[in-house]
């Protein structure tokens, strides 16, 4: 994992002032290009978890995810790099493994499929112990790397965020990345968390305990651009992803970043941002998940 510690990451200008007179900058921080497999925010969330596993003399990690989970692939690969065995508890029974799950197996992850009805028990250590041979010397990483070490890792993203940015946009799943970044940005920097699921604003209740003070004025959860719910999409969103790639040469993912950028464009059009705002959109990665819609993204040839 060490080689990525001081990676310099590109920041790309998406528009300049002449397109959007009110906004002084609309840039994208490409943490998706950090590594081809342990892409985007997942590396940051895993970093200290894996270090902790090694320090605790664990020989394997166990973690959780669905059939297209970005976290699972990243965890499988990173564990292999760290000479740790890995076990993935998979949400749902798949008749045929998805490309994501096959890739996890290729990195040595042992997959344990559990029915969706049982998956909700995943924090119950007794239930878990019935699913695997042994939990001895096994370090458990919560789904999505959503724990304090995950947030500590996500806070490292702050080193790429200049204080000149007035607004920072990031996609939200568990809110781990958002909370980590919030711990290091300045109070004048507004953090826009785009939640790609229905009722996403309610996530603030889960995020609050992770913050230095609850519901800070500079966190804004936006859940208007969920496209029907987590993992749901429609033809206009697909077209938007293709068009975004043609225009900016940046591939977006179907679950998180496409909905964020779509929402961002809506907010720009609605005049949400004050004059002279400088906006940084964080590309959190997740491109491997686009294999769930392979064939629908003719422009994004390199990810199929
Ligand atoms: C996992 C993921 C997120 C969500 O991160 P959280 O820390 O769980 O909020 C956002 N974007 C992408 C591309 C992801 O893969």
């Amino acid at each position: 994992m060490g080689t990525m510690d001081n990676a310099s990451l590109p920041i790309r200008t998406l528009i300049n002032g002449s397109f959007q007179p009110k906004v002084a900058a609309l840039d994208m921080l490409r943490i998706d290009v950090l590594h081809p497999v342990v892409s985007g925010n997942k590396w940051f969330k895993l970093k200290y978890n894996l270090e902790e596993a090694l320090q605790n003399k664990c020989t394997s990690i166990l973690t959780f995810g669905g059939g297209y989970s970005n976290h699972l692939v990243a965890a499988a690969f990173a564990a292999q790099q760290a000479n740790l065995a890995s076990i993935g508890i998979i949400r749902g029974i798949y008749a045929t493994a998805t490309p994501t799950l096959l890739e996890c197996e290729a990195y040595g992850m042992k997959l344990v499929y559990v029915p969706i009805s049982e998956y909700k028990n995943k924090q119950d250590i007794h239930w878990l112990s019935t699913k695997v041979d042994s939990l001895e010397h096994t370090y458990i990483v919560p789904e999505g790397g959503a724990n304090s070490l995950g947030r500590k890792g996500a806070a490292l993203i702050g080193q790429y965020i200049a204080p000149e940015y007035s607004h920072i946009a990031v996609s939200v799943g568990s809110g781990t990345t958002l909370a980590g970044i919030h711990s290091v940005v300045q109070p004048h920097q507004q953090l826009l968390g785009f939640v790609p699921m229905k009722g996403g604003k309610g996530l603030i209740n889960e995020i609050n305990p992770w913050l230095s003070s609850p519901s800070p004025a500079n966190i804004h959860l936006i859940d208007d651009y969920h496209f029907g719910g987590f993992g749901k999409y429609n033809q206009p969103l697909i077209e938007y992803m293709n068009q975004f790639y043609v225009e900016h040469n940046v591939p977006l993912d179907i679950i998180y970043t496409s909905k964020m950028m779509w929402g961002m464009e809506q907010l720009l059009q609605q005049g949400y941002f004050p004059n002279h705002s400088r906006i940084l959109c964080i590309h959190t990665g997740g491109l491997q998940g686009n294999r769930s819609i392979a064939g629908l993204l003719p422009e994004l040839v390199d990810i199929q």
Side-chain angles (χ1 to χ4, degrees):
M1 306 285 286
T3 52
M4 288 180 273
D5 274 344
N6 296 305
S8 68
L9 295 173
I11 292 187
R12 175 180 287 265
T13 301
L14 298 179
I15 58 166
N16 60 40
S18 60
F19 287 99
Q20 188 21 285
K22 285 178 65 181
V23 163
L26 177 62
D27 295 341
M28 179 170 265
L29 170 64
R30 302 284 312 274
I31 65 174
D32 61 308
V33 300
L34 192 65
H35 186 273
V37 182
V38 198
S39 158
N41 60 344
K42 298 303 184 277
W43 177 80
F44 290 96
K45 295 197 286 180
L46 284 165
K47 175 186 161 60
Y48 292 117
N49 276 296
L50 291 193
E51 285 180 13
E52 182 76 5
L54 291 171
Q55 243 161 41
N56 294 352
K57 305 262 184 290
C58 289
T59 50
S60 67
I61 64 158
L62 178 149
T63 192
F64 311 84
Y68 287 95
S69 165
N70 299 323
H71 165 71
L72 272 187
V73 185
F77 184 88
Q80 189 182 53
Q81 293 295 297
N83 275 323
L84 291 162
S86 64
I87 303 167
I89 305 290
I90 311 304
R91 178 181 183 277
I93 311 288
Y94 286 78
T96 48
T98 64
T100 301
L101 296 176
L102 290 175
E103 192 176 350
C104 289
E105 283 185 321
Y107 301 137
M109 183 174 262
K110 185 172 176 282
L111 304 182
V112 179
Y113 294 87
V114 302
I116 292 174
S117 57
E118 275 186 45
Y119 188 76
K120 61 177 182 304
N121 299 323
K122 61 186 185 291
Q123 276 161 1
D124 177 350
I125 197 83
H126 298 293
W127 172 82
L128 203 54
S129 66
T130 66
K131 294 290 157 190
V132 294
D133 296 337
S134 162
L135 284 172
E136 222 185 320
H137 305 299
T138 303
Y139 180 87
I140 297 173
V141 182
E143 183 169 27
N147 61 8
S148 64
L149 292 176
R151 297 193 291 279
K152 182 178 166 191
L156 295 172
I157 297 170
Q159 69 190 289
Y160 304 103
I161 303 175
E164 289 74 33
Y165 287 107
S166 57
H167 295 78
I168 297 142
V170 67
S171 294
V172 174
S174 64
T176 304
T177 305
L178 176 105
I181 293 173
H182 184 261
S183 70
V184 288
V185 298
Q186 305 188 10
H188 73 83
Q189 296 185 294
Q190 306 301 313
L191 208 45
L192 275 56
F194 287 85
V195 199
M197 53 199 113
K198 282 185 185 168
K201 277 191 171 134
L203 263 183
I204 194 67
N205 297 322
E206 277 157 62
I207 297 171
N208 269 335
W210 305 335
L211 304 173
S212 48
S213 63
S215 303
N218 68 337
I219 289 186
H220 313 271
L221 293 186
I222 295 159
D223 63 4
D224 302 317
Y225 310 105
H226 57 65
F227 288 79
F230 191 74
K232 302 267 170 43
Y233 57 88
N234 60 15
Q235 193 54 30
L237 185 65
I238 299 281
E239 277 161 25
Y240 176 73
M241 289 170 74
N242 281 300
Q243 177 212 323
F244 193 93
Y245 186 71
V246 171
E247 223 169 283
H248 304 293
N249 203 28
V250 175
L252 300 173
D253 84 290
I254 184 69
I255 308 288
Y256 292 101
T257 51
S258 58
K259 295 181 181 180
M260 173 178 81
M261 292 315 297
W262 175 292
M264 175 56 68
E265 297 211 12
Q266 299 297 312
L267 295 185
L268 284 164
Q269 278 171 23
Q270 293 163 17
Y272 174 95
F273 296 98
N275 286 345
H276 315 302
S277 294
R278 304 189 80 88
I279 307 165
L280 183 68
C281 306
I282 301 180
H283 193 320
T284 37
L287 297 173
Q288 69 83 29
N290 284 351
R291 288 180 292 196
S292 68
I293 52 161
L296 295 180
L297 301 169
E299 306 298 348
L300 282 71
V301 282
D302 47 343
I303 57 138
Q304 289 180 38

